[in-house]
Amino acid sequence: MMELKNKKILVVGLGLIGGSYAAALSAAGYEVGGIDCLQESVDYALSEGFIAKGQSKVTADYVGDFDVIVFALYPHVLFDWVECYGGFIKQGALVTDVTGVKGEVVYRMQKLLGERAEFVGAHPMAGREVYGIKNASATLFCGANYIVTPTEKNTEGGIVLCEALGRALGARRVSRLSPEEHDEMIGFLSQLTHCIAVSLMTCKESHQLVDYTGDSFRDLTRIAKINENMWSELFLMNKAELLSQMDLFLEHFTALKDALEKEDAETMKQMMRLSTERRSYFDKK
Amino acid sequence: MMELKNKKILVVGLGLIGGSYAAALSAAGYEVGGIDCLQESVDYALSEGFIAKGQSKVTADYVGDFDVIVFALYPHVLFDWVECYGGFIKQGALVTDVTGVKGEVVYRMQKLLGERAEFVGAHPMAGREVYGIKNASATLFCGANYIVTPTEKNTEGGIVLCEALGRALGARRVSRLSPEEHDEMIGFLSQLTHCIAVSLMTCKESHQLVDYTGDSFRDLTRIAKINENMWSELFLMNKAELLSQMDLFLEHFTALKDALEKEDAETMKQMMRLSTERRSYFDKK
């Protein structure tokens, strides 16, 4: 099971992410199939050569033909799908996903699939502010991080296969984290930053500010353009972790505010020196 | 007094901003002089052709020769300078500044200068994360906003002259705001965003996060690299306004957090829809 070569890969859900998986894997020479409930997405993927075959109906003979299945669905749709059609999956297949929260997904998927197939969670850290297969691209994951989140239920062979999938997509860095480490990291780096951007952007009716806006406000709010259905679902799935990251931020923001209120310039400067030092770690090399 | 042409311009303080004023105005054909307490900054400005003459000593005959004076100093140094040497300024000269907070500067400068010279506050909205005249550039203000903040003490002639200075620097957009409107706008768009970036960056020892960081965290913290002396001074000068902007942000951030806590997906989605709509105003055309 450790070689990805010659494996047939099925992508379930042909949106931006699923479509880009299909495009990248086909471009890398794999035999890729697709399923999407919208026939027009299937047709588009076929016409662009993202998939060799595809259908909008989920049938046992079609699904059972694949060795590797990638779910690129909204989480609640994912669980429904596996409850309905999990029995169609080939015995011993490798199943993975693309969801941005892992704890709530990985354990549940492993339970749902039971002994039939091995589930290894994965998170390709790439995305765009646009959606749908028409924005999919074979190069979406080039240079991205691809995180695999195994549990003690996984075999080394399954994990290695899932990592090979990340490399086949063109990811720059493939790494392993536990589902919990992943969710803490993503809670801070991605979900908290989106919460900040959304909150900042809702503060004011801001038409009249456009003319005066420099790069700092633009940079802090770029990610305030957000798919509300997907992100609200991801926030709720990572609720406890995200709340604790929000509290952490509030603590530091309030400390700065208190220092300003008390005109305690030294505390303000200390925070600025620390932020300057830490931000320098992130300068791109 | 309405024509900038043929006016002799003195830049006091040859750092990044003052140096860039001098470079841009010399490149545009103006006769520019400079003063800086560091002789090496004066020498550098002379050797680069940013100024035609310069000195590190403040003398009456030198200062009194200029029609327009641009102060590019830290605020507390600015007031000291004018208290000591204000009497050297030519009767009827136009005096302006570059400070990022206006209310605290403009009224005090107008009072300090009295009948001798007309003070019109200005804020060239450009900057870099590096400092000093060696980073100065004639093109720093190209495409930037340049805001003039007149009061009822100003003459139309003085205001127009100050606006002409902005255009001579290459600013894309020259506009007028009252000092209070300016400070509210800058409190929200610039100071609040810096407070957020600094607070976020101080949350965690973050060396181990670098490998997983995508664009959103990088974008939100770019401005966390900050000159602590200048920014703490600017925050304190705009204390009341900035505190009220911080409270506004806290209100919205807390609303989002409460919605998450209560699993109120509809409120979360409403905020996301609003932020998406408002952010679209800021897409660069």
PDB file of all heavy atoms in Angstrom, chain B residues 95-122:
ATOM      1  N   VAL B  95       5.052  77.248   7.386  1.00  0.00           N
ATOM      2  CA  VAL B  95       5.644  76.150   8.147  1.00  0.00           C
ATOM      3  C   VAL B  95       4.688  74.966   8.114  1.00  0.00           C
ATOM      4  O   VAL B  95       3.477  75.134   8.273  1.00  0.00           O
ATOM      5  CB  VAL B  95       5.913  76.586   9.605  1.00  0.00           C
ATOM      6  CG1 VAL B  95       6.523  75.442  10.411  1.00  0.00           C
ATOM      7  CG2 VAL B  95       6.821  77.817   9.638  1.00  0.00           C
ATOM      8  N   THR B  96       5.244  73.781   7.898  1.00  0.00           N
ATOM      9  CA  THR B  96       4.414  72.583   7.890  1.00  0.00           C
ATOM     10  C   THR B  96       5.160  71.440   8.567  1.00  0.00           C
ATOM     11  O   THR B  96       6.280  71.622   9.034  1.00  0.00           O
ATOM     12  CB  THR B  96       3.969  72.240   6.440  1.00  0.00           C
ATOM     13  OG1 THR B  96       3.061  71.137   6.483  1.00  0.00           O
ATOM     14  CG2 THR B  96       5.151  71.869   5.560  1.00  0.00           C
ATOM     15  N   ASP B  97       4.517  70.284   8.671  1.00  0.00           N
ATOM     16  CA  ASP B  97       5.133  69.151   9.355  1.00  0.00           C
ATOM     17  C   ASP B  97       4.722  67.866   8.651  1.00  0.00           C
ATOM     18  O   ASP B  97       4.054  67.905   7.610  1.00  0.00           O
ATOM     19  CB  ASP B  97       4.734  69.113  10.839  1.00  0.00           C
ATOM     20  CG  ASP B  97       3.303  68.631  11.010  1.00  0.00           C
ATOM     21  OD1 ASP B  97       2.453  68.947  10.155  1.00  0.00           O
ATOM     22  OD2 ASP B  97       3.015  67.932  12.001  1.00  0.00           O
ATOM     23  N   VAL B  98       5.095  66.736   9.237  1.00  0.00           N
ATOM     24  CA  VAL B  98       4.805  65.435   8.627  1.00  0.00           C
ATOM     25  C   VAL B  98       4.193  64.472   9.648  1.00  0.00           C
ATOM     26  O   VAL B  98       4.050  63.281   9.375  1.00  0.00           O
ATOM     27  CB  VAL B  98       6.094  64.783   8.076  1.00  0.00           C
ATOM     28  CG1 VAL B  98       6.791  65.713   7.084  1.00  0.00           C
ATOM     29  CG2 VAL B  98       7.065  64.404   9.203  1.00  0.00           C
ATOM     30  N   THR B  99       3.822  64.993  10.825  1.00  0.00           N
ATOM     31  CA  THR B  99       3.451  64.136  11.952  1.00  0.00           C
ATOM     32  C   THR B  99       2.158  63.365  11.690  1.00  0.00           C
ATOM     33  O   THR B  99       1.215  63.892  11.114  1.00  0.00           O
ATOM     34  CB  THR B  99       3.269  65.002  13.218  1.00  0.00           C
ATOM     35  OG1 THR B  99       4.304  65.975  13.249  1.00  0.00           O
ATOM     36  CG2 THR B  99       3.298  64.149  14.469  1.00  0.00           C
ATOM     37  N   GLY B 100       2.127  62.123  12.179  1.00  0.00           N
ATOM     38  CA  GLY B 100       0.996  61.235  11.955  1.00  0.00           C
ATOM     39  C   GLY B 100      -0.209  61.492  12.842  1.00  0.00           C
ATOM     40  O   GLY B 100      -1.251  60.867  12.679  1.00  0.00           O
ATOM     41  N   VAL B 101      -0.088  62.411  13.802  1.00  0.00           N
ATOM     42  CA  VAL B 101      -1.230  62.849  14.617  1.00  0.00           C
ATOM     43  C   VAL B 101      -1.292  64.366  14.476  1.00  0.00           C
ATOM     44  O   VAL B 101      -0.269  65.033  14.501  1.00  0.00           O
ATOM     45  CB  VAL B 101      -1.053  62.445  16.101  1.00  0.00           C
ATOM     46  CG1 VAL B 101      -2.127  63.082  16.961  1.00  0.00           C
ATOM     47  CG2 VAL B 101      -1.096  60.922  16.240  1.00  0.00           C
ATOM     48  N   LYS B 102      -2.486  64.907  14.290  1.00  0.00           N
ATOM     49  CA  LYS B 102      -2.552  66.342  13.969  1.00  0.00           C
ATOM     50  C   LYS B 102      -3.101  67.223  15.082  1.00  0.00           C
ATOM     51  O   LYS B 102      -2.589  68.318  15.291  1.00  0.00           O
ATOM     52  CB  LYS B 102      -3.389  66.564  12.690  1.00  0.00           C
ATOM     53  CG  LYS B 102      -2.971  65.803  11.479  1.00  0.00           C
ATOM     54  CD  LYS B 102      -1.642  66.043  10.800  1.00  0.00           C
ATOM     55  CE  LYS B 102      -0.656  67.050  11.122  1.00  0.00           C
ATOM     56  NZ  LYS B 102       0.716  66.643  10.633  1.00  0.00           N
ATOM     57  N   GLY B 103      -4.144  66.800  15.775  1.00  0.00           N
ATOM     58  CA  GLY B 103      -4.782  67.680  16.758  1.00  0.00           C
ATOM     59  C   GLY B 103      -3.793  68.248  17.762  1.00  0.00           C
ATOM     60  O   GLY B 103      -3.737  69.462  17.984  1.00  0.00           O
ATOM     61  N   GLU B 104      -2.989  67.386  18.347  1.00  0.00           N
ATOM     62  CA  GLU B 104      -2.029  67.817  19.370  1.00  0.00           C
ATOM     63  C   GLU B 104      -0.905  68.665  18.805  1.00  0.00           C
ATOM     64  O   GLU B 104      -0.234  69.381  19.537  1.00  0.00           O
ATOM     65  CB  GLU B 104      -1.398  66.577  20.035  1.00  0.00           C
ATOM     66  CG  GLU B 104      -2.339  65.782  20.887  1.00  0.00           C
ATOM     67  CD  GLU B 104      -2.551  66.432  22.249  1.00  0.00           C
ATOM     68  OE1 GLU B 104      -1.553  66.815  22.887  1.00  0.00           O
ATOM     69  OE2 GLU B 104      -3.716  66.564  22.654  1.00  0.00           O
ATOM     70  N   VAL B 105      -0.666  68.542  17.507  1.00  0.00           N
ATOM     71  CA  VAL B 105       0.457  69.252  16.899  1.00  0.00           C
ATOM     72  C   VAL B 105       0.028  70.605  16.351  1.00  0.00           C
ATOM     73  O   VAL B 105       0.654  71.634  16.614  1.00  0.00           O
ATOM     74  CB  VAL B 105       1.085  68.407  15.765  1.00  0.00           C
ATOM     75  CG1 VAL B 105       2.141  69.202  15.011  1.00  0.00           C
ATOM     76  CG2 VAL B 105       1.664  67.117  16.332  1.00  0.00           C
ATOM     77  N   VAL B 106      -1.072  70.589  15.598  1.00  0.00           N
ATOM     78  CA  VAL B 106      -1.433  71.764  14.806  1.00  0.00           C
ATOM     79  C   VAL B 106      -1.728  72.977  15.688  1.00  0.00           C
ATOM     80  O   VAL B 106      -1.161  74.070  15.481  1.00  0.00           O
ATOM     81  CB  VAL B 106      -2.649  71.436  13.907  1.00  0.00           C
ATOM     82  CG1 VAL B 106      -3.206  72.683  13.258  1.00  0.00           C
ATOM     83  CG2 VAL B 106      -2.246  70.408  12.849  1.00  0.00           C
ATOM     84  N   TYR B 107      -2.582  72.791  16.702  1.00  0.00           N
ATOM     85  CA  TYR B 107      -2.965  73.953  17.517  1.00  0.00           C
ATOM     86  C   TYR B 107      -1.777  74.477  18.329  1.00  0.00           C
ATOM     87  O   TYR B 107      -1.599  75.674  18.476  1.00  0.00           O
ATOM     88  CB  TYR B 107      -4.157  73.590  18.415  1.00  0.00           C
ATOM     89  CG  TYR B 107      -5.374  73.186  17.605  1.00  0.00           C
ATOM     90  CD1 TYR B 107      -5.784  71.867  17.532  1.00  0.00           C
ATOM     91  CD2 TYR B 107      -6.077  74.141  16.865  1.00  0.00           C
ATOM     92  CE1 TYR B 107      -6.881  71.483  16.761  1.00  0.00           C
ATOM     93  CE2 TYR B 107      -7.180  73.774  16.091  1.00  0.00           C
ATOM     94  CZ  TYR B 107      -7.573  72.449  16.042  1.00  0.00           C
ATOM     95  OH  TYR B 107      -8.642  72.094  15.270  1.00  0.00           O
ATOM     96  N   ARG B 108      -0.958  73.542  18.808  1.00  0.00           N
ATOM     97  CA  ARG B 108       0.199  73.966  19.589  1.00  0.00           C
ATOM     98  C   ARG B 108       1.217  74.694  18.713  1.00  0.00           C
ATOM     99  O   ARG B 108       1.795  75.709  19.122  1.00  0.00           O
ATOM    100  CB  ARG B 108       0.823  72.724  20.252  1.00  0.00           C
ATOM    101  CG  ARG B 108       1.935  73.067  21.185  1.00  0.00           C
ATOM    102  CD  ARG B 108       2.059  72.065  22.300  1.00  0.00           C
ATOM    103  NE  ARG B 108       3.302  72.266  23.021  1.00  0.00           N
ATOM    104  CZ  ARG B 108       3.927  71.332  23.702  1.00  0.00           C
ATOM    105  NH1 ARG B 108       3.407  70.119  23.778  1.00  0.00           N
ATOM    106  NH2 ARG B 108       5.063  71.596  24.322  1.00  0.00           N
ATOM    107  N   MET B 109       1.426  74.203  17.507  1.00  0.00           N
ATOM    108  CA  MET B 109       2.379  74.862  16.606  1.00  0.00           C
ATOM    109  C   MET B 109       1.867  76.246  16.214  1.00  0.00           C
ATOM    110  O   MET B 109       2.642  77.206  16.144  1.00  0.00           O
ATOM    111  CB  MET B 109       2.589  74.008  15.349  1.00  0.00           C
ATOM    112  CG  MET B 109       3.509  72.828  15.555  1.00  0.00           C
ATOM    113  SD  MET B 109       5.218  73.308  15.936  1.00  0.00           S
ATOM    114  CE  MET B 109       5.804  73.777  14.300  1.00  0.00           C
ATOM    115  N   GLN B 110       0.563  76.347  15.962  1.00  0.00           N
ATOM    116  CA  GLN B 110       0.016  77.660  15.585  1.00  0.00           C
ATOM    117  C   GLN B 110       0.177  78.648  16.730  1.00  0.00           C
ATOM    118  O   GLN B 110       0.469  79.824  16.521  1.00  0.00           O
ATOM    119  CB  GLN B 110      -1.454  77.516  15.169  1.00  0.00           C
ATOM    120  CG  GLN B 110      -1.571  76.777  13.812  1.00  0.00           C
ATOM    121  CD  GLN B 110      -2.983  76.676  13.273  1.00  0.00           C
ATOM    122  OE1 GLN B 110      -3.950  76.773  14.025  1.00  0.00           O
ATOM    123  NE2 GLN B 110      -3.105  76.479  11.970  1.00  0.00           N
ATOM    124  N   LYS B 111       0.033  78.151  17.947  1.00  0.00           N
ATOM    125  CA  LYS B 111       0.190  79.022  19.111  1.00  0.00           C
ATOM    126  C   LYS B 111       1.658  79.433  19.284  1.00  0.00           C
ATOM    127  O   LYS B 111       1.969  80.598  19.509  1.00  0.00           O
ATOM    128  CB  LYS B 111      -0.292  78.268  20.362  1.00  0.00           C
ATOM    129  CG  LYS B 111      -0.689  79.167  21.500  1.00  0.00           C
ATOM    130  CD  LYS B 111      -1.414  78.381  22.580  1.00  0.00           C
ATOM    131  CE  LYS B 111      -1.509  79.218  23.838  1.00  0.00           C
ATOM    132  NZ  LYS B 111      -1.948  78.437  24.988  1.00  0.00           N
ATOM    133  N   LEU B 112       2.549  78.448  19.134  1.00  0.00           N
ATOM    134  CA  LEU B 112       3.983  78.724  19.303  1.00  0.00           C
ATOM    135  C   LEU B 112       4.491  79.712  18.256  1.00  0.00           C
ATOM    136  O   LEU B 112       5.317  80.569  18.552  1.00  0.00           O
ATOM    137  CB  LEU B 112       4.799  77.425  19.198  1.00  0.00           C
ATOM    138  CG  LEU B 112       4.798  76.498  20.418  1.00  0.00           C
ATOM    139  CD1 LEU B 112       5.420  75.139  20.048  1.00  0.00           C
ATOM    140  CD2 LEU B 112       5.551  77.125  21.586  1.00  0.00           C
ATOM    141  N   LEU B 113       4.005  79.592  17.036  1.00  0.00           N
ATOM    142  CA  LEU B 113       4.504  80.459  15.964  1.00  0.00           C
ATOM    143  C   LEU B 113       3.822  81.815  15.952  1.00  0.00           C
ATOM    144  O   LEU B 113       4.388  82.791  15.437  1.00  0.00           O
ATOM    145  CB  LEU B 113       4.331  79.776  14.601  1.00  0.00           C
ATOM    146  CG  LEU B 113       5.257  78.582  14.356  1.00  0.00           C
ATOM    147  CD1 LEU B 113       4.828  77.805  13.117  1.00  0.00           C
ATOM    148  CD2 LEU B 113       6.715  79.048  14.210  1.00  0.00           C
ATOM    149  N   GLY B 114       2.633  81.901  16.523  1.00  0.00           N
ATOM    150  CA  GLY B 114       1.924  83.182  16.629  1.00  0.00           C
ATOM    151  C   GLY B 114       1.792  83.891  15.303  1.00  0.00           C
ATOM    152  O   GLY B 114       1.378  83.282  14.308  1.00  0.00           O
ATOM    153  N   GLU B 115       2.146  85.149  15.278  1.00  0.00           N
ATOM    154  CA  GLU B 115       1.968  85.960  14.071  1.00  0.00           C
ATOM    155  C   GLU B 115       3.146  85.863  13.114  1.00  0.00           C
ATOM    156  O   GLU B 115       3.084  86.332  11.981  1.00  0.00           O
ATOM    157  CB  GLU B 115       1.759  87.439  14.446  1.00  0.00           C
ATOM    158  CG  GLU B 115       0.498  87.695  15.253  1.00  0.00           C
ATOM    159  CD  GLU B 115      -0.770  87.257  14.514  1.00  0.00           C
ATOM    160  OE1 GLU B 115      -0.967  87.670  13.357  1.00  0.00           O
ATOM    161  OE2 GLU B 115      -1.549  86.460  15.109  1.00  0.00           O
ATOM    162  N   ARG B 116       4.233  85.198  13.580  1.00  0.00           N
ATOM    163  CA  ARG B 116       5.447  85.174  12.768  1.00  0.00           C
ATOM    164  C   ARG B 116       5.276  84.412  11.452  1.00  0.00           C
ATOM    165  O   ARG B 116       5.698  84.875  10.388  1.00  0.00           O
ATOM    166  CB  ARG B 116       6.587  84.554  13.587  1.00  0.00           C
ATOM    167  CG  ARG B 116       7.868  84.290  12.788  1.00  0.00           C
ATOM    168  CD  ARG B 116       9.030  83.989  13.687  1.00  0.00           C
ATOM    169  NE  ARG B 116       9.401  85.164  14.466  1.00  0.00           N
ATOM    170  CZ  ARG B 116      10.272  86.103  14.047  1.00  0.00           C
ATOM    171  NH1 ARG B 116      10.862  85.991  12.863  1.00  0.00           N
ATOM    172  NH2 ARG B 116      10.552  87.131  14.804  1.00  0.00           N
ATOM    173  N   ALA B 117       4.676  83.232  11.547  1.00  0.00           N
ATOM    174  CA  ALA B 117       4.619  82.351  10.373  1.00  0.00           C
ATOM    175  C   ALA B 117       3.311  81.589  10.404  1.00  0.00           C
ATOM    176  O   ALA B 117       2.731  81.385  11.461  1.00  0.00           O
ATOM    177  CB  ALA B 117       5.799  81.383  10.390  1.00  0.00           C
ATOM    178  N   GLU B 118       2.881  81.160   9.229  1.00  0.00           N
ATOM    179  CA  GLU B 118       1.642  80.392   9.147  1.00  0.00           C
ATOM    180  C   GLU B 118       1.954  78.903   9.197  1.00  0.00           C
ATOM    181  O   GLU B 118       2.749  78.396   8.398  1.00  0.00           O
ATOM    182  CB  GLU B 118       0.894  80.729   7.847  1.00  0.00           C
ATOM    183  CG  GLU B 118      -0.381  79.887   7.696  1.00  0.00           C
ATOM    184  CD  GLU B 118      -1.320  80.406   6.597  1.00  0.00           C
ATOM    185  OE1 GLU B 118      -1.023  81.442   5.976  1.00  0.00           O
ATOM    186  OE2 GLU B 118      -2.371  79.762   6.410  1.00  0.00           O
ATOM    187  N   PHE B 119       1.308  78.203  10.111  1.00  0.00           N
ATOM    188  CA  PHE B 119       1.497  76.765  10.199  1.00  0.00           C
ATOM    189  C   PHE B 119       0.298  76.036   9.599  1.00  0.00           C
ATOM    190  O   PHE B 119      -0.834  76.233  10.031  1.00  0.00           O
ATOM    191  CB  PHE B 119       1.680  76.294  11.648  1.00  0.00           C
ATOM    192  CG  PHE B 119       1.915  74.806  11.744  1.00  0.00           C
ATOM    193  CD1 PHE B 119       3.176  74.281  11.515  1.00  0.00           C
ATOM    194  CD2 PHE B 119       0.868  73.936  12.004  1.00  0.00           C
ATOM    195  CE1 PHE B 119       3.408  72.914  11.554  1.00  0.00           C
ATOM    196  CE2 PHE B 119       1.084  72.560  12.045  1.00  0.00           C
ATOM    197  CZ  PHE B 119       2.351  72.044  11.820  1.00  0.00           C
ATOM    198  N   VAL B 120       0.567  75.172   8.615  1.00  0.00           N
ATOM    199  CA  VAL B 120      -0.460  74.302   8.044  1.00  0.00           C
ATOM    200  C   VAL B 120       0.016  72.858   8.233  1.00  0.00           C
ATOM    201  O   VAL B 120       1.062  72.480   7.706  1.00  0.00           O
ATOM    202  CB  VAL B 120      -0.687  74.573   6.541  1.00  0.00           C
ATOM    203  CG1 VAL B 120      -1.816  73.688   6.004  1.00  0.00           C
ATOM    204  CG2 VAL B 120      -1.001  76.045   6.289  1.00  0.00           C
ATOM    205  N   GLY B 121      -0.721  72.089   8.993  1.00  0.00           N
ATOM    206  CA  GLY B 121      -0.325  70.698   9.243  1.00  0.00           C
ATOM    207  C   GLY B 121      -0.514  69.833   8.013  1.00  0.00           C
ATOM    208  O   GLY B 121      -1.431  70.043   7.229  1.00  0.00           O
ATOM    209  N   ALA B 122       0.373  68.847   7.864  1.00  0.00           N
ATOM    210  CA  ALA B 122       0.242  67.919   6.737  1.00  0.00           C
ATOM    211  C   ALA B 122       0.685  66.531   7.177  1.00  0.00           C
ATOM    212  O   ALA B 122       1.504  66.384   8.080  1.00  0.00           O
ATOM    213  CB  ALA B 122       1.076  68.386   5.553  1.00  0.00           C
TER     214      ALA B 122
END
